[in-house]
């Protein structure tokens, strides 16, 4: 199986960050880009986005699947069924400190030029593994050395000066 045929890493990263938040006593929040595929209370949507508390205390029957995040939650005292496609999640983070991860926004394929579709992705300047691919998650990420590292682009950066750390063995 090559990179283009593999499943998205997004649901796995969402689950990992959810676990990290709960293990550290933080409240996991997800930011969702709302469209017709997202089932949320529309009265709480602002600028096409909604932020949802997905903590154990705020949800019931939470399922973090590969395709959808599903749970029940109360909004103004009324229980609602929430269904969010994983590809509409734009970030997951801890409420208390803001640490988490943002994801590239999924841009739907259109009859327009492929340059327009690539413009919305943060990885738009990185060439795709398959030149004809329009999937935002099938990009190849290349490591780039920062400018001014004191060497050529192929030379690794020099470690900071000072004595080397040593392991002291205590019996």
């Amino acid at each position: 199986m090559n990179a283009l045929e593999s499943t998205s890493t997004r649901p796995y990263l969402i689950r990992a960050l959810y676990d990290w938040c709960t293990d550290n006593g933080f409240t996991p929040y997800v930011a969702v880009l709302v469209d017709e595929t997202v089932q949320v209370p529309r009265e709480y949507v602002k600028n096409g986005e909604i932020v949802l508390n997905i903590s154990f205390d705020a949800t019931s029957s939470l399922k973090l699947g590969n395709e959808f995040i599903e749970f029940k939650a109360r909004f103004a005292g009324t229980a609602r069924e929430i269904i969010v496609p994983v590809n509409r999640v734009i970030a997951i983070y801890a409420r208390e400190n803001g640490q988490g991860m943002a994801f590239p926004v999924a841009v739907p394929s259109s009859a327009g030029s492929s340059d327009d579709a690539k413009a919305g992705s943060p990885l738009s300047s990185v060439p795709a593994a398959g030149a004809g691919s329009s999937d935002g998650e099938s990009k190849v990420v290349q490591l780039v050395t920062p400018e001014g590292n004191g060497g050529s682009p192929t030379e690794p950066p020099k470690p900071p000066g000072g004595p080397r750390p040593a392991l002291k063995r205590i019996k």
Side-chain angles (χ1 to χ4, degrees), residues 9 42 49 56 65-66 72 75 94 98 101 104 112 121 141 150-151 160 170:
T9 57
R42 300 292 182 189
E49 296 180 6
F56 178 77
N66 286 347
K72 293 178 185 144
F75 291 83
M101 179 178 285
S121 171
V141 178
I170 301 173

Side-chain angles (χ1 to χ4, degrees), residues 6-82:
S6 64
T7 58
S8 171
T9 57
R10 190 178 298 210
Y12 299 93
L13 294 169
I14 290 170
R15 285 191 291 269
L17 286 166
Y18 175 85
D19 287 343
W20 175 81
C21 284
T22 56
D23 288 352
N24 287 285
F26 298 137
T27 308
Y29 275 29
V30 290
V32 178
L33 193 59
V34 177
D35 68 358
E36 65 280 350
T37 64
V38 179
Q39 183 178 320
V40 294
R42 300 292 182 189
E43 61 269 25
Y44 295 97
V45 175
K46 291 183 182 171
N47 299 324
E49 296 180 6
I50 188 169
V51 176
L52 301 167
N53 178 347
I54 59 169
S55 69
F56 178 77
D57 294 335
T59 64
S60 171
S61 306
L62 177 65
K63 293 177 191 153
L64 299 173
N66 286 347
E67 299 295 323
F68 296 97
I69 296 174
E70 303 175 61
F71 59 94
K72 293 178 185 144
R74 293 192 172 273
F75 291 83
T78 305
R80 304 275 188 100
E81 181 73 26
I82 307 300

Side-chain angles (χ1 to χ4, degrees), residues 13 41 45 52 68 83 92-93 95 100 108 113 117-118 121 129 135 150:
L13 294 169
V45 175
L52 301 167
F68 296 97
I83 301 174
I92 179 168
Y93 60 94
R95 179 190 69 190
S113 71
K118 288 182 181 179
S121 171
D135 181 13

Side-chain angles (χ1 to χ4, degrees), residues 87-166:
N87 66 352
R88 302 306 295 173
V89 174
I90 55 177
I92 179 168
Y93 60 94
R95 179 190 69 190
E96 291 79 5
N97 61 13
Q99 290 184 348
M101 179 178 285
F103 300 102
V105 176
V107 178
S109 298
S110 64
S113 71
S114 62
D115 292 337
D116 293 338
K118 288 182 181 179
S121 171
L123 299 177
S124 61
S125 62
V126 180
S133 173
S134 64
D135 181 13
E137 294 183 340
S138 63
K139 301 286 184 187
V140 176
V141 178
Q142 299 173 346
L143 297 176
V144 179
T145 58
E147 293 182 22
N149 66 350
S152 70
T154 58
E155 181 182 320
K158 294 183 171 61
R164 292 186 71 165

